[in-house]
Amino acid sequence: MTDTPQRPEPAFEAPWHAQAFALAVHLNESGLFTWPEWVERFSAGLRQAGLSRELNGGDDYFTVWLATLQRLMADQGHTDAGEVERIRQGWAEAYLSTPHGAPVHLPDDVI
Amino acid sequence: MHHDLKLDTAGGETPAFNMPHDDPDHPHSLLPSEPALRVKALETILTRKGLIDPAALDAIIDTYENKIGPQNGARVVARAWHDPAFRAALLQDADAILDEMGLNGRQGEHVVVVENTPERHNMVVCTLCSCYPWPLLGIPPGWYKSDAYRARAVREPRKVLAEFGVTLPDETAVRVWDSTAEVRYLVLPMRPEGTEGWSEDALVALVGRDSMIGTALATPASEAPA
């Protein structure tokens, strides 16, 4: 069998995959960590996650990607799990209280 | 393309929570999935601290969604088929050539091009995670990142190839290259028969992404897209 060139296939399966991807690339380019450092942490995370079940390379891959990023930022003192959870909750409430079609904003008092 | 490699590439977005109180008269915005909200939270925190620029994030996403993809690698392969001097130089020192072509961006700093021959078929994996030559191929497909491919490509490459529909003659050895954060590989597939005299542009259409990872062959001349 051969490959059909340029078949339409989105680069990312879900928008949040793209966002998580871009965050790591951007932070790497801003100098917060080197790429080998990222690979070391990320591959350890994949290994760990793959112990309990087989990863399919889609959602579960980016779930590990995101967890790696979150932990790296926590280790560098930029955030912590509690803060991420508070802001996440703030966003969830903002979505639920914003009428459909209107832009969703995080209220300034969510800190 | 469908192949029956036993790699589950389904997945996609975690379904948004469907709140039971959804009311068609007062519909609120659709709640994104839990990880989507967590990415958003992280982005908010890092933006507030001045560590990231949201415009730069958008630019990165746009680049990989719309600008960079396998067409870049296909151009390199087609030129190598078309121009023997280019091919020799590419195999000797890909970095210098890719530099000249402006294909040396992030995650493409050190690329080695490995050539398929009747004696040897090359196949690329990243057993560690998913290192991949982004400037040449874009973002890796789901199966490349899956545990199944990462584990089995090295252990039983012929079986994996067969599941992709590639059966090689017994006399062709299979060489598997394991990518790292420092070295990325691009497979130079064999030029299909019956393409003598074709232009570089016509040849580009025969070079699919998987043929540059080594899990497919180049498209035969008879199947060239119109």
Side-chain angles (χ1 to χ4, degrees):
Chain A
M1 184 180 67
T2 52
D3 191 20
T4 312
Q6 277 120 53
R7 66 176 163 282
E9 187 178 305
F12 299 100
E13 286 171 15
W16 75 266
H17 296 180
Q19 277 147 1
F21 169 83
L23 266 178
V25 169
H26 182 35
L27 291 167
N28 160 240
E29 288 178 352
S30 314
L32 265 68
F33 50 84
T34 66
W35 201 256
E37 199 180 331
W38 169 259
V39 165
E40 193 186 324
R41 279 173 171 260
F42 179 53
S43 57
L46 283 175
R47 227 170 15 247
Q48 189 62 34
L51 293 178
S52 51
R53 65 205 178 88
E54 188 159 286
L55 306 182
N56 68 22
D59 249 12
D60 52 16
Y61 176 90
F62 281 103
T63 299
V64 176
W65 182 286
L66 178 57
T68 304
L69 194 57
Q70 210 180 307
R71 201 164 314 123
L72 186 51
M73 290 301 98
D75 288 355
Q76 292 191 356
H78 300 306
T79 185
D80 56 55
E83 185 181 27
V84 173
E85 179 49 30
R86 277 197 310 280
I87 304 285
R88 186 197 69 75
Q89 192 58 39
W91 272 114
E93 282 159 15
Y95 272 90
L96 292 174
S97 58
T98 304
H100 187 72
V104 181
H105 294 293
L106 184 68
D108 288 337
D109 58 356
V110 178
I111 48 167
Chain B
M1 183 187 68
H2 296 283
H3 51 68
D4 47 12
L5 184 72
K6 292 176 191 67
L7 307 173
D8 176 15
T9 55
E13 178 113 25
T14 309
F17 313 143
N18 284 313
M19 303 306 266
H21 62 262
D22 270 353
D23 175 352
D25 294 329
H26 304 279
H28 55 69
S29 302
L30 183 66
L31 186 62
S33 67
E34 194 280 332
L37 286 171
R38 214 141 38 82
V39 177
K40 238 176 148 36
L42 202 53
E43 191 180 324
T44 301
I45 293 164
L46 298 172
T47 303
R48 282 177 175 177
K49 295 192 174 157
L51 290 168
I52 55 170
D53 168 12
L57 292 181
D58 291 344
I60 291 168
I61 294 171
D62 179 51
T63 296
Y64 291 100
E65 275 183 340
N66 304 313
K67 297 184 182 142
I68 292 185
Q71 67 275 11
N72 293 356
R75 174 65 54 186
V76 174
V77 168
R79 192 165 297 173
W81 285 345
H82 197 253
D83 177 350
F86 177 86
R87 178 181 147 273
L90 183 71
L91 293 171
Q92 178 84 39
D93 180 7
D95 293 337
I97 298 280
L98 299 176
D99 237 20
E100 274 171 38
M101 295 176 76
L103 297 174
N104 56 348
R106 50 172 87 99
Q107 309 307 317
E109 291 86 352
H110 183 37
V111 173
V112 173
V113 176
V114 289
E115 185 184 32
N116 285 350
T117 64
E119 292 76 40
R120 189 174 82 181
H121 179 88
N122 297 286
M123 188 172 155
V124 181
V125 66
C126 174
T127 55
L128 216 52
C129 47
S130 53
C131 300
Y132 194 71
W134 294 354
L136 297 168
L137 299 180
I139 298 302
W143 57 259
Y144 185 84
K145 300 176 291 198
S146 70
D147 276 358
Y149 181 75
R150 295 194 290 116
R152 294 181 52 220
V154 172
R155 213 170 53 224
E156 42 185 21
R158 276 181 190 275
K159 214 164 153 193
V160 170
L161 282 173
E163 287 167 20
F164 271 96
V166 177
T167 312
L168 299 168
D170 287 344
E171 59 271 24
T172 304
V174 177
R175 171 79 199 263
V176 179
W177 301 85
D178 195 357
S179 314
T180 65
E182 284 83 23
V183 190
R184 317 297 162 100
Y185 299 93
L186 182 81
V187 174
L188 176 57
M190 285 201 289
R191 179 173 178 162
E193 286 171 18
T195 57
E196 295 76 15
W198 284 35
S199 69
E200 190 183 304
D201 284 342
L203 290 169
V204 165
L206 303 179
V207 188
R209 178 195 65 204
D210 293 2
S211 74
M212 295 179 277
I213 306 175
T215 52
L217 306 177
T219 307
S222 58
E223 292 172 28

